Amino acid sequence: MAAAGRHLGMTAVAVLAVATSLFGLSDASAAKKVAFVKKTVSSHDIVIFSKSYCPYCRKAKAVFKELKKEPYVVELDQREDGYEIQDALSEMVGRRTVPQVFIQGKHLGGSDDTVEAYESGKLLTLIGIDSKDDL
Ligand SMILES: N[C@@H](CCC(=O)N[C@@H](CS)C(=O)NCC(=O)O)C(=O)O
């Protein structure tokens, strides 16, 4: 009876290990993706984590085009590790949607937040443009 219990326990551990490797990330791999996000947002003034087909991402990109600023764009759907980066982002900013926009290393938000910041003038300040006349 005890042997059967031990066998079941070992089977559960094996199943968990396989499931983790198939569906989850090891802590080390997740930490690497968090490090990638941190390094990316600290290396560029404007960063957009995006998916190439996403209409909300297109909208956010259009705002920066309007401001004549070129963001650094990470297209998650065009990378093998895109899903893991999205997991890391989700852990960091509490949202799983794209786009996620960062200005000078700080999280601004998604598309709605970007458009709102543009319309209120907050985005100009964050980017360091004095007024729309300077464009
Ligand atoms: N209100 C959000 C909407 C963003 C949104 O719904 N994005 C879709 C893609 S177009 C998304 O992230 N879906 C989940 C996914 O792609 O994993 C915003 O303003 O950013």
Side-chain angles (χ1 to χ4, degrees):
M1 204 58 185
R6 226 180 359 258
H7 179 70
L8 269 179
M10 282 164 68
T11 305
V13 169
V15 167
L16 197 64
V18 171
T20 303
S21 71
L22 282 179
F23 305 113
L25 280 175
S26 70
D27 284 351
S29 178
K32 266 191 198 161
K33 299 308 169 195
V34 169
F36 168 80
V37 171
K38 285 187 179 167
K39 184 159 175 35
T40 304
V41 303
S42 65
S43 307
H44 305 275
D45 290 342
I46 304 165
V47 176
I48 305 180
F49 291 93
S50 164
K51 289 186 183 173
S52 59
Y53 56 80
C54 157
Y56 289 101
C57 303
R58 229 170 280 143
K59 217 165 165 183
K61 288 169 190 167
V63 166
F64 293 104
K65 194 163 187 190
E66 191 79 17
L67 294 172
K68 298 188 175 65
K69 291 283 176 187
E70 199 168 330
Y72 182 82
V73 179
V74 181
E75 299 288 11
L76 298 179
D77 60 312
Q78 295 178 345
R79 299 176 57 113
E80 270 189 17
D81 62 352
Y83 196 83
E84 288 94 318
I85 294 173
Q86 193 169 1
D87 277 345
L89 269 171
S90 161
E91 284 294 315
M92 293 167 78
V93 307
R95 297 189 204 175
R96 236 205 115 69
T97 53
V98 285
Q100 290 304 325
V101 178
F102 292 76
I103 314 274
Q104 319 288 6
K106 289 210 182 77
H107 181 235
L108 173 64
S111 173
D112 296 344
D113 304 299
T114 304
V115 171
E116 197 180 303
Y118 174 55
E119 288 172 351
S120 73
K122 180 184 158 197
L123 189 55
L124 293 183
T125 312
L126 290 175
I127 290 176
I129 300 172
D130 286 337
S131 86
K132 282 190 184 166
D133 299 338
D134 294 345
L135 295 171

